[in-house]
Amino acid sequence: MKILVLDGDGIGPEISSATVRAIEAANYRLNLGLEITHADSGLSSLEKNGVTLTDDVMAQAADADGVILGPTHSLIYPTPEEGGINLSPWFRKTFDLYANIRPARARPGIPAMAHDIDLVMVRENTEGFYADRAMFQGSGEFLATEDVALAIRKITRQACERITESACRLAMTRRRKLTIVHKRNVLKLSDGLFTDVAHETAAKYEGLEVEEVIVDAMAALLVRHPAAFDVVVTTNMFGDILSDLSAELSGGLGLGPSINAGADHAIAQAAHGSAPDIAGKNSANPTALMLSAGMLLSWLSDRNEREDLAEAAHRLSEAVDAQLSDVSGRTADLGGPLGTDAFGEAVAARVGS
Ligand code: NAD
């Protein structure tokens, strides 16, 4: 089974290296037969190859069973014509990775603002207010005059249906509660369609409790009563914002994992960005990418009916919990003394023991 690792930019190489160490430990311990390969991506690929993602790496990604993608410093990428292919949207569009699954759980011992948060944000990934995803050709964002900017938001029945299906299936394996988050009081047609389709889809799941919350209230309720939520389904941009809030409530952005999954491909990606402010300092917390890689192993386990991959994901999650349980085992963002490398080594040792 082939796993392709693309480091990305900023802290990407540091956290990817720690993540690979932990996955290799599981691979060895459980004899998983994972073949983990690396390829160049992002700014380093731009420098060497004139493009952030080469055709060859695109082909390797298509051929891999799963991809681990480090965060990218997409803010400073040149235009696509100048070689700046934004990796995340490229993968999401090319492989139709419609479901961005972002859990937020307070891990034992971590001084989280919300000590009882345990939810999963299920974010639609292929449309919404994302200029590159709204149109067949051209951008969903344009200037009508030099002082008037317009943006188009695309919402389709098919995308609402399949993202709600993913959320419902997940909720049925958890506490059987689904929260539909929208802004239909203002976006009456587009969020009206999303909310109606989400309700229609969820109604097919017997025993599932379904509620809806307006997005601004949701931001307040997440802070006030985080434990009230189990699985949350929402559109692209709301999910992007609320999942960072949830990750922060659960202890910090460095703890927020995510997977982008479609019917045939999945990509592990931390919810956070490339953190240029701490890049190269060996101080980033690799937990989010490690747990994202664990989610990828779980996805591969379901898809290939391989219990050993589920066991590897479980071992990884337990190892991270054990490592984070005492402040002496944490990285600087959580008040600990460990560098990224040492944290990776310690987690790998626990996974392999
Ligand atoms: P960011 O998430 O990179 O950083 C926000 C804050 O959180 C910073 O203070 C950073 O130091 C801290 N932080 C983030 N990850 C951390 C970790 N693992 N350990 C410790 N601290 C961590 O957001 P930003 O600074 O707004 O964005 C930087 C770049 O990342 C931009 O170019 C943005 O476009 C890009 N970005 C990429 C992705 C992605 O690749 N999936 C996601 C979000 C942002």
Side-chain angles (χ1 to χ4, degrees), residues 11 71-75 88 253-254 269 271-278 284-285 333:
I11 59 171
T72 58
H73 197 354
S74 47
L75 194 64
S88 294
L253 266 187
Q269 256 187 302
H272 60 72
S274 62
D277 52 336
I278 56 167
N285 185 349
D333 55 317

mmCIF file with all atom_site columns, all heavy atoms in Angstrom, residues 11 71-75 88 253-254 269 271-278 284-285 333, ligand 1:
data_model
loop_
_atom_site.group_PDB
_atom_site.id
_atom_site.type_symbol
_atom_site.label_atom_id
_atom_site.label_alt_id
_atom_site.label_comp_id
_atom_site.label_asym_id
_atom_site.label_entity_id
_atom_site.label_seq_id
_atom_site.pdbx_PDB_ins_code
_atom_site.Cartn_x
_atom_site.Cartn_y
_atom_site.Cartn_z
_atom_site.occupancy
_atom_site.B_iso_or_equiv
_atom_site.pdbx_formal_charge
_atom_site.auth_seq_id
_atom_site.auth_comp_id
_atom_site.auth_asym_id
_atom_site.auth_atom_id
_atom_site.pdbx_PDB_model_num
ATOM   1   N N   . ILE A 1 11  ? 6.455  25.177 8.376  1.00 0.00 ? 11  ILE A N   1
ATOM   2   C CA  . ILE A 1 11  ? 6.719  24.084 9.331  1.00 0.00 ? 11  ILE A CA  1
ATOM   3   C C   . ILE A 1 11  ? 6.463  22.707 8.707  1.00 0.00 ? 11  ILE A C   1
ATOM   4   O O   . ILE A 1 11  ? 6.697  21.688 9.358  1.00 0.00 ? 11  ILE A O   1
ATOM   5   C CB  . ILE A 1 11  ? 5.847  24.226 10.611 1.00 0.00 ? 11  ILE A CB  1
ATOM   6   C CG1 . ILE A 1 11  ? 4.349  24.228 10.263 1.00 0.00 ? 11  ILE A CG1 1
ATOM   7   C CG2 . ILE A 1 11  ? 6.243  25.446 11.422 1.00 0.00 ? 11  ILE A CG2 1
ATOM   8   C CD1 . ILE A 1 11  ? 3.429  24.135 11.482 1.00 0.00 ? 11  ILE A CD1 1
ATOM   9   N N   . PRO A 1 71  ? 1.207  21.545 5.407  1.00 0.00 ? 71  PRO A N   1
ATOM   10  C CA  . PRO A 1 71  ? 0.554  22.825 5.094  1.00 0.00 ? 71  PRO A CA  1
ATOM   11  C C   . PRO A 1 71  ? 1.370  23.624 4.079  1.00 0.00 ? 71  PRO A C   1
ATOM   12  O O   . PRO A 1 71  ? 2.589  23.475 4.005  1.00 0.00 ? 71  PRO A O   1
ATOM   13  C CB  . PRO A 1 71  ? 0.525  23.546 6.445  1.00 0.00 ? 71  PRO A CB  1
ATOM   14  C CG  . PRO A 1 71  ? 1.633  22.933 7.244  1.00 0.00 ? 71  PRO A CG  1
ATOM   15  C CD  . PRO A 1 71  ? 1.761  21.513 6.779  1.00 0.00 ? 71  PRO A CD  1
ATOM   16  N N   . THR A 1 72  ? 0.691  24.444 3.312  1.00 0.00 ? 72  THR A N   1
ATOM   17  C CA  . THR A 1 72  ? 1.387  25.234 2.286  1.00 0.00 ? 72  THR A CA  1
ATOM   18  C C   . THR A 1 72  ? 1.253  26.730 2.587  1.00 0.00 ? 72  THR A C   1
ATOM   19  O O   . THR A 1 72  ? 0.248  27.162 3.146  1.00 0.00 ? 72  THR A O   1
ATOM   20  C CB  . THR A 1 72  ? 0.786  24.954 0.897  1.00 0.00 ? 72  THR A CB  1
ATOM   21  O OG1 . THR A 1 72  ? -0.607 25.260 0.942  1.00 0.00 ? 72  THR A OG1 1
ATOM   22  C CG2 . THR A 1 72  ? 0.992  23.510 0.492  1.00 0.00 ? 72  THR A CG2 1
ATOM   23  N N   . HIS A 1 73  ? 2.281  27.476 2.202  1.00 0.00 ? 73  HIS A N   1
ATOM   24  C CA  . HIS A 1 73  ? 2.251  28.944 2.401  1.00 0.00 ? 73  HIS A CA  1
ATOM   25  C C   . HIS A 1 73  ? 1.635  29.579 1.154  1.00 0.00 ? 73  HIS A C   1
ATOM   26  O O   . HIS A 1 73  ? 2.263  30.373 0.456  1.00 0.00 ? 73  HIS A O   1
ATOM   27  C CB  . HIS A 1 73  ? 3.673  29.438 2.656  1.00 0.00 ? 73  HIS A CB  1
ATOM   28  C CG  . HIS A 1 73  ? 3.747  30.798 3.256  1.00 0.00 ? 73  HIS A CG  1
ATOM   29  N ND1 . HIS A 1 73  ? 2.633  31.603 3.448  1.00 0.00 ? 73  HIS A ND1 1
ATOM   30  C CD2 . HIS A 1 73  ? 4.805  31.513 3.729  1.00 0.00 ? 73  HIS A CD2 1
ATOM   31  C CE1 . HIS A 1 73  ? 3.019  32.743 3.994  1.00 0.00 ? 73  HIS A CE1 1
ATOM   32  N NE2 . HIS A 1 73  ? 4.321  32.716 4.180  1.00 0.00 ? 73  HIS A NE2 1
ATOM   33  N N   . SER A 1 74  ? 0.389  29.194 0.894  1.00 0.00 ? 74  SER A N   1
ATOM   34  C CA  . SER A 1 74  ? -0.252 29.560 -0.366 1.00 0.00 ? 74  SER A CA  1
ATOM   35  C C   . SER A 1 74  ? -0.431 31.070 -0.530 1.00 0.00 ? 74  SER A C   1
ATOM   36  O O   . SER A 1 74  ? -0.542 31.568 -1.647 1.00 0.00 ? 74  SER A O   1
ATOM   37  C CB  . SER A 1 74  ? -1.604 28.864 -0.469 1.00 0.00 ? 74  SER A CB  1
ATOM   38  O OG  . SER A 1 74  ? -2.308 29.004 0.736  1.00 0.00 ? 74  SER A OG  1
ATOM   39  N N   . LEU A 1 75  ? -0.432 31.778 0.588  1.00 0.00 ? 75  LEU A N   1
ATOM   40  C CA  . LEU A 1 75  ? -0.614 33.239 0.539  1.00 0.00 ? 75  LEU A CA  1
ATOM   41  C C   . LEU A 1 75  ? 0.447  33.911 -0.325 1.00 0.00 ? 75  LEU A C   1
ATOM   42  O O   . LEU A 1 75  ? 0.177  34.922 -0.976 1.00 0.00 ? 75  LEU A O   1
ATOM   43  C CB  . LEU A 1 75  ? -0.543 33.774 1.979  1.00 0.00 ? 75  LEU A CB  1
ATOM   44  C CG  . LEU A 1 75  ? -1.019 35.192 2.246  1.00 0.00 ? 75  LEU A CG  1
ATOM   45  C CD1 . LEU A 1 75  ? -2.509 35.316 1.951  1.00 0.00 ? 75  LEU A CD1 1
ATOM   46  C CD2 . LEU A 1 75  ? -0.759 35.565 3.708  1.00 0.00 ? 75  LEU A CD2 1
ATOM   47  N N   . SER A 1 88  ? -3.786 22.508 -1.913 1.00 0.00 ? 88  SER A N   1
ATOM   48  C CA  . SER A 1 88  ? -5.024 21.998 -1.285 1.00 0.00 ? 88  SER A CA  1
ATOM   49  C C   . SER A 1 88  ? -6.194 21.991 -2.267 1.00 0.00 ? 88  SER A C   1
ATOM   50  O O   . SER A 1 88  ? -6.807 20.949 -2.483 1.00 0.00 ? 88  SER A O   1
ATOM   51  C CB  . SER A 1 88  ? -5.417 22.829 -0.072 1.00 0.00 ? 88  SER A CB  1
ATOM   52  O OG  . SER A 1 88  ? -4.480 22.677 0.923  1.00 0.00 ? 88  SER A OG  1
ATOM   53  N N   . LEU A 1 253 ? -4.588 25.135 17.762 1.00 0.00 ? 253 LEU A N   1
ATOM   54  C CA  . LEU A 1 253 ? -4.589 24.794 16.333 1.00 0.00 ? 253 LEU A CA  1
ATOM   55  C C   . LEU A 1 253 ? -3.633 23.641 16.022 1.00 0.00 ? 253 LEU A C   1
ATOM   56  O O   . LEU A 1 253 ? -3.881 22.842 15.124 1.00 0.00 ? 253 LEU A O   1
ATOM   57  C CB  . LEU A 1 253 ? -4.140 26.009 15.517 1.00 0.00 ? 253 LEU A CB  1
ATOM   58  C CG  . LEU A 1 253 ? -5.198 26.936 14.957 1.00 0.00 ? 253 LEU A CG  1
ATOM   59  C CD1 . LEU A 1 253 ? -4.539 27.955 14.035 1.00 0.00 ? 253 LEU A CD1 1
ATOM   60  C CD2 . LEU A 1 253 ? -6.260 26.153 14.175 1.00 0.00 ? 253 LEU A CD2 1
ATOM   61  N N   . GLY A 1 254 ? -2.564 23.546 16.797 1.00 0.00 ? 254 GLY A N   1
ATOM   62  C CA  . GLY A 1 254 ? -1.572 22.485 16.570 1.00 0.00 ? 254 GLY A CA  1
ATOM   63  C C   . GLY A 1 254 ? -2.114 21.100 16.877 1.00 0.00 ? 254 GLY A C   1
ATOM   64  O O   . GLY A 1 254 ? -1.447 20.093 16.643 1.00 0.00 ? 254 GLY A O   1
ATOM   65  N N   . GLN A 1 269 ? -4.376 16.066 6.102  1.00 0.00 ? 269 GLN A N   1
ATOM   66  C CA  . GLN A 1 269 ? -3.867 17.435 6.150  1.00 0.00 ? 269 GLN A CA  1
ATOM   67  C C   . GLN A 1 269 ? -4.223 18.025 7.501  1.00 0.00 ? 269 GLN A C   1
ATOM   68  O O   . GLN A 1 269 ? -5.386 17.926 7.920  1.00 0.00 ? 269 GLN A O   1
ATOM   69  C CB  . GLN A 1 269 ? -4.606 18.284 5.099  1.00 0.00 ? 269 GLN A CB  1
ATOM   70  C CG  . GLN A 1 269 ? -3.850 18.605 3.853  1.00 0.00 ? 269 GLN A CG  1
ATOM   71  C CD  . GLN A 1 269 ? -4.643 19.579 3.006  1.00 0.00 ? 269 GLN A CD  1
ATOM   72  O OE1 . GLN A 1 269 ? -5.778 19.295 2.618  1.00 0.00 ? 269 GLN A OE1 1
ATOM   73  N NE2 . GLN A 1 269 ? -4.061 20.713 2.711  1.00 0.00 ? 269 GLN A NE2 1
ATOM   74  N N   . ALA A 1 271 ? -5.388 20.888 10.060 1.00 0.00 ? 271 ALA A N   1
ATOM   75  C CA  . ALA A 1 271 ? -6.316 21.995 9.800  1.00 0.00 ? 271 ALA A CA  1
ATOM   76  C C   . ALA A 1 271 ? -5.569 23.326 9.739  1.00 0.00 ? 271 ALA A C   1
ATOM   77  O O   . ALA A 1 271 ? -6.011 24.277 9.089  1.00 0.00 ? 271 ALA A O   1
ATOM   78  C CB  . ALA A 1 271 ? -7.391 22.034 10.885 1.00 0.00 ? 271 ALA A CB  1
ATOM   79  N N   . HIS A 1 272 ? -4.413 23.404 10.394 1.00 0.00 ? 272 HIS A N   1
ATOM   80  C CA  . HIS A 1 272 ? -3.697 24.692 10.458 1.00 0.00 ? 272 HIS A CA  1
ATOM   81  C C   . HIS A 1 272 ? -2.871 24.946 9.197  1.00 0.00 ? 272 HIS A C   1
ATOM   82  O O   . HIS A 1 272 ? -2.742 24.079 8.324  1.00 0.00 ? 272 HIS A O   1
ATOM   83  C CB  . HIS A 1 272 ? -2.800 24.729 11.702 1.00 0.00 ? 272 HIS A CB  1
ATOM   84  C CG  . HIS A 1 272 ? -1.750 23.650 11.726 1.00 0.00 ? 272 HIS A CG  1
ATOM   85  N ND1 . HIS A 1 272 ? -0.651 23.652 10.900 1.00 0.00 ? 272 HIS A ND1 1
ATOM   86  C CD2 . HIS A 1 272 ? -1.638 22.523 12.477 1.00 0.00 ? 272 HIS A CD2 1
ATOM   87  C CE1 . HIS A 1 272 ? 0.097  22.592 11.155 1.00 0.00 ? 272 HIS A CE1 1
ATOM   88  N NE2 . HIS A 1 272 ? -0.483 21.878 12.095 1.00 0.00 ? 272 HIS A NE2 1
ATOM   89  N N   . GLY A 1 273 ? -2.283 26.147 9.134  1.00 0.00 ? 273 GLY A N   1
ATOM   90  C CA  . GLY A 1 273 ? -1.466 26.532 7.989  1.00 0.00 ? 273 GLY A CA  1
ATOM   91  C C   . GLY A 1 273 ? 0.013  26.273 8.213  1.00 0.00 ? 273 GLY A C   1
ATOM   92  O O   . GLY A 1 273 ? 0.392  25.509 9.122  1.00 0.00 ? 273 GLY A O   1
ATOM   93  N N   . SER A 1 274 ? 0.844  26.941 7.414  1.00 0.00 ? 274 SER A N   1
ATOM   94  C CA  . SER A 1 274 ? 2.289  26.642 7.398  1.00 0.00 ? 274 SER A CA  1
ATOM   95  C C   . SER A 1 274 ? 3.066  27.371 8.485  1.00 0.00 ? 274 SER A C   1
ATOM   96  O O   . SER A 1 274 ? 4.290  27.233 8.555  1.00 0.00 ? 274 SER A O   1
ATOM   97  C CB  . SER A 1 274 ? 2.854  26.989 6.020  1.00 0.00 ? 274 SER A CB  1
ATOM   98  O OG  . SER A 1 274 ? 2.686  28.381 5.789  1.00 0.00 ? 274 SER A OG  1
ATOM   99  N N   . ALA A 1 275 ? 2.380  28.156 9.312  1.00 0.00 ? 275 ALA A N   1
ATOM   100 C CA  . ALA A 1 275 ? 2.980  28.841 10.468 1.00 0.00 ? 275 ALA A CA  1
ATOM   101 C C   . ALA A 1 275 ? 4.355  29.429 10.155 1.00 0.00 ? 275 ALA A C   1
ATOM   102 O O   . ALA A 1 275 ? 5.351  29.054 10.799 1.00 0.00 ? 275 ALA A O   1
ATOM   103 C CB  . ALA A 1 275 ? 3.042  27.884 11.659 1.00 0.00 ? 275 ALA A CB  1
ATOM   104 N N   . PRO A 1 276 ? 4.436  30.358 9.199  1.00 0.00 ? 276 PRO A N   1
ATOM   105 C CA  . PRO A 1 276 ? 5.763  30.890 8.830  1.00 0.00 ? 276 PRO A CA  1
ATOM   106 C C   . PRO A 1 276 ? 6.475  31.561 10.003 1.00 0.00 ? 276 PRO A C   1
ATOM   107 O O   . PRO A 1 276 ? 7.707  31.624 10.017 1.00 0.00 ? 276 PRO A O   1
ATOM   108 C CB  . PRO A 1 276 ? 5.441  31.905 7.721  1.00 0.00 ? 276 PRO A CB  1
ATOM   109 C CG  . PRO A 1 276 ? 3.969  32.091 7.714  1.00 0.00 ? 276 PRO A CG  1
ATOM   110 C CD  . PRO A 1 276 ? 3.348  30.925 8.386  1.00 0.00 ? 276 PRO A CD  1
ATOM   111 N N   . ASP A 1 277 ? 5.696  32.010 11.000 1.00 0.00 ? 277 ASP A N   1
ATOM   112 C CA  . ASP A 1 277 ? 6.322  32.696 12.148 1.00 0.00 ? 277 ASP A CA  1
ATOM   113 C C   . ASP A 1 277 ? 7.216  31.773 12.979 1.00 0.00 ? 277 ASP A C   1
ATOM   114 O O   . ASP A 1 277 ? 8.120  32.234 13.665 1.00 0.00 ? 277 ASP A O   1
ATOM   115 C CB  . ASP A 1 277 ? 5.241  33.354 13.039 1.00 0.00 ? 277 ASP A CB  1
ATOM   116 C CG  . ASP A 1 277 ? 4.118  32.400 13.447 1.00 0.00 ? 277 ASP A CG  1
ATOM   117 O OD1 . ASP A 1 277 ? 3.875  31.406 12.743 1.00 0.00 ? 277 ASP A OD1 1
ATOM   118 O OD2 . ASP A 1 277 ? 3.483  32.658 14.491 1.00 0.00 ? 277 ASP A OD2 1
ATOM   119 N N   . ILE A 1 278 ? 6.978  30.460 12.922 1.00 0.00 ? 278 ILE A N   1
ATOM   120 C CA  . ILE A 1 278 ? 7.814  29.552 13.732 1.00 0.00 ? 278 ILE A CA  1
ATOM   121 C C   . ILE A 1 278 ? 8.545  28.511 12.862 1.00 0.00 ? 278 ILE A C   1
ATOM   122 O O   . ILE A 1 278 ? 9.117  27.562 13.382 1.00 0.00 ? 278 ILE A O   1
ATOM   123 C CB  . ILE A 1 278 ? 6.970  28.831 14.823 1.00 0.00 ? 278 ILE A CB  1
ATOM   124 C CG1 . ILE A 1 278 ? 5.777  28.072 14.198 1.00 0.00 ? 278 ILE A CG1 1
ATOM   125 C CG2 . ILE A 1 278 ? 6.485  29.803 15.892 1.00 0.00 ? 278 ILE A CG2 1
ATOM   126 C CD1 . ILE A 1 278 ? 5.115  27.094 15.178 1.00 0.00 ? 278 ILE A CD1 1
ATOM   127 N N   . ALA A 1 284 ? 7.402  23.612 16.200 1.00 0.00 ? 284 ALA A N   1
ATOM   128 C CA  . ALA A 1 284 ? 5.995  23.358 15.849 1.00 0.00 ? 284 ALA A CA  1
ATOM   129 C C   . ALA A 1 284 ? 5.497  22.065 16.487 1.00 0.00 ? 284 ALA A C   1
ATOM   130 O O   . ALA A 1 284 ? 6.265  21.133 16.718 1.00 0.00 ? 284 ALA A O   1
ATOM   131 C CB  . ALA A 1 284 ? 5.855  23.262 14.331 1.00 0.00 ? 284 ALA A CB  1
ATOM   132 N N   . ASN A 1 285 ? 4.228  22.035 16.729 1.00 0.00 ? 285 ASN A N   1
ATOM   133 C CA  . ASN A 1 285 ? 3.587  20.835 17.273 1.00 0.00 ? 285 ASN A CA  1
ATOM   134 C C   . ASN A 1 285 ? 3.111  19.960 16.101 1.00 0.00 ? 285 ASN A C   1
ATOM   135 O O   . ASN A 1 285 ? 2.247  20.380 15.319 1.00 0.00 ? 285 ASN A O   1
ATOM   136 C CB  . ASN A 1 285 ? 2.387  21.278 18.127 1.00 0.00 ? 285 ASN A CB  1
ATOM   137 C CG  . ASN A 1 285 ? 1.727  20.124 18.831 1.00 0.00 ? 285 ASN A CG  1
ATOM   138 O OD1 . ASN A 1 285 ? 2.015  18.964 18.546 1.00 0.00 ? 285 ASN A OD1 1
ATOM   139 N ND2 . ASN A 1 285 ? 0.829  20.431 19.742 1.00 0.00 ? 285 ASN A ND2 1
ATOM   140 N N   . ASP A 1 333 ? 3.974  25.311 22.115 1.00 0.00 ? 333 ASP A N   1
ATOM   141 C CA  . ASP A 1 333 ? 2.626  25.893 22.023 1.00 0.00 ? 333 ASP A CA  1
ATOM   142 C C   . ASP A 1 333 ? 1.750  25.446 23.187 1.00 0.00 ? 333 ASP A C   1
ATOM   143 O O   . ASP A 1 333 ? 0.786  26.124 23.548 1.00 0.00 ? 333 ASP A O   1
ATOM   144 C CB  . ASP A 1 333 ? 1.965  25.513 20.690 1.00 0.00 ? 333 ASP A CB  1
ATOM   145 C CG  . ASP A 1 333 ? 1.938  24.010 20.462 1.00 0.00 ? 333 ASP A CG  1
ATOM   146 O OD1 . ASP A 1 333 ? 2.953  23.350 20.729 1.00 0.00 ? 333 ASP A OD1 1
ATOM   147 O OD2 . ASP A 1 333 ? 0.889  23.491 20.048 1.00 0.00 ? 333 ASP A OD2 1
HETATM 148 P P1  . NAD B 2 .   ? -1.429 29.306 10.546 1.00 0.00 ? 1   NAD B P1  1
HETATM 149 O O1  . NAD B 2 .   ? -2.436 28.263 10.859 1.00 0.00 ? 1   NAD B O1  1
HETATM 150 O O2  . NAD B 2 .   ? -0.249 28.899 9.747  1.00 0.00 ? 1   NAD B O2  1
HETATM 151 O O3  . NAD B 2 .   ? -0.904 29.959 11.913 1.00 0.00 ? 1   NAD B O3  1
HETATM 152 C C1  . NAD B 2 .   ? -1.762 30.600 12.853 1.00 0.00 ? 1   NAD B C1  1
HETATM 153 C C2  . NAD B 2 .   ? -1.067 30.609 14.229 1.00 0.00 ? 1   NAD B C2  1
HETATM 154 O O4  . NAD B 2 .   ? -1.052 29.280 14.771 1.00 0.00 ? 1   NAD B O4  1
HETATM 155 C C3  . NAD B 2 .   ? 0.399  31.040 14.167 1.00 0.00 ? 1   NAD B C3  1
HETATM 156 O O5  . NAD B 2 .   ? 0.717  31.765 15.335 1.00 0.00 ? 1   NAD B O5  1
HETATM 157 C C4  . NAD B 2 .   ? 1.169  29.736 14.148 1.00 0.00 ? 1   NAD B C4  1
HETATM 158 O O6  . NAD B 2 .   ? 2.474  29.822 14.684 1.00 0.00 ? 1   NAD B O6  1
HETATM 159 C C5  . NAD B 2 .   ? 0.282  28.839 15.009 1.00 0.00 ? 1   NAD B C5  1
HETATM 160 N N1  . NAD B 2 .   ? 0.364  27.440 14.594 1.00 0.00 ? 1   NAD B N1  1
HETATM 161 C C6  . NAD B 2 .   ? -0.169 26.869 13.482 1.00 0.00 ? 1   NAD B C6  1
HETATM 162 N N2  . NAD B 2 .   ? 0.151  25.588 13.417 1.00 0.00 ? 1   NAD B N2  1
HETATM 163 C C7  . NAD B 2 .   ? 0.907  25.306 14.507 1.00 0.00 ? 1   NAD B C7  1
HETATM 164 C C8  . NAD B 2 .   ? 1.558  24.129 14.982 1.00 0.00 ? 1   NAD B C8  1
HETATM 165 N N3  . NAD B 2 .   ? 1.473  22.966 14.342 1.00 0.00 ? 1   NAD B N3  1
HETATM 166 N N4  . NAD B 2 .   ? 2.288  24.212 16.133 1.00 0.00 ? 1   NAD B N4  1
HETATM 167 C C9  . NAD B 2 .   ? 2.358  25.361 16.812 1.00 0.00 ? 1   NAD B C9  1
HETATM 168 N N5  . NAD B 2 .   ? 1.751  26.516 16.411 1.00 0.00 ? 1   NAD B N5  1
HETATM 169 C C10 . NAD B 2 .   ? 1.054  26.491 15.258 1.00 0.00 ? 1   NAD B C10 1
HETATM 170 O O7  . NAD B 2 .   ? -2.201 30.494 9.806  1.00 0.00 ? 1   NAD B O7  1
HETATM 171 P P2  . NAD B 2 .   ? -1.638 31.733 8.990  1.00 0.00 ? 1   NAD B P2  1
HETATM 172 O O8  . NAD B 2 .   ? -0.404 32.281 9.636  1.00 0.00 ? 1   NAD B O8  1
HETATM 173 O O9  . NAD B 2 .   ? -2.809 32.610 8.804  1.00 0.00 ? 1   NAD B O9  1
HETATM 174 O O10 . NAD B 2 .   ? -1.278 31.152 7.566  1.00 0.00 ? 1   NAD B O10 1
HETATM 175 C C11 . NAD B 2 .   ? 0.062  30.857 7.140  1.00 0.00 ? 1   NAD B C11 1
HETATM 176 C C12 . NAD B 2 .   ? 0.007  30.293 5.740  1.00 0.00 ? 1   NAD B C12 1
HETATM 177 O O11 . NAD B 2 .   ? -0.663 29.028 5.760  1.00 0.00 ? 1   NAD B O11 1
HETATM 178 C C13 . NAD B 2 .   ? -0.750 31.135 4.705  1.00 0.00 ? 1   NAD B C13 1
HETATM 179 O O12 . NAD B 2 .   ? -0.014 31.138 3.512  1.00 0.00 ? 1   NAD B O12 1
HETATM 180 C C14 . NAD B 2 .   ? -2.081 30.432 4.530  1.00 0.00 ? 1   NAD B C14 1
HETATM 181 O O13 . NAD B 2 .   ? -2.635 30.653 3.256  1.00 0.00 ? 1   NAD B O13 1
HETATM 182 C C15 . NAD B 2 .   ? -1.638 28.994 4.703  1.00 0.00 ? 1   NAD B C15 1
HETATM 183 N N6  . NAD B 2 .   ? -2.671 28.033 5.104  1.00 0.00 ? 1   NAD B N6  1
HETATM 184 C C16 . NAD B 2 .   ? -2.536 26.788 4.580  1.00 0.00 ? 1   NAD B C16 1
HETATM 185 C C17 . NAD B 2 .   ? -3.424 25.785 4.962  1.00 0.00 ? 1   NAD B C17 1
HETATM 186 C C18 . NAD B 2 .   ? -3.207 24.427 4.381  1.00 0.00 ? 1   NAD B C18 1
HETATM 187 O O14 . NAD B 2 .   ? -2.216 24.159 3.741  1.00 0.00 ? 1   NAD B O14 1
HETATM 188 N N7  . NAD B 2 .   ? -4.117 23.491 4.592  1.00 0.00 ? 1   NAD B N7  1
HETATM 189 C C19 . NAD B 2 .   ? -4.434 26.049 5.896  1.00 0.00 ? 1   NAD B C19 1
HETATM 190 C C20 . NAD B 2 .   ? -4.521 27.330 6.436  1.00 0.00 ? 1   NAD B C20 1
HETATM 191 C C21 . NAD B 2 .   ? -3.628 28.313 6.045  1.00 0.00 ? 1   NAD B C21 1
#
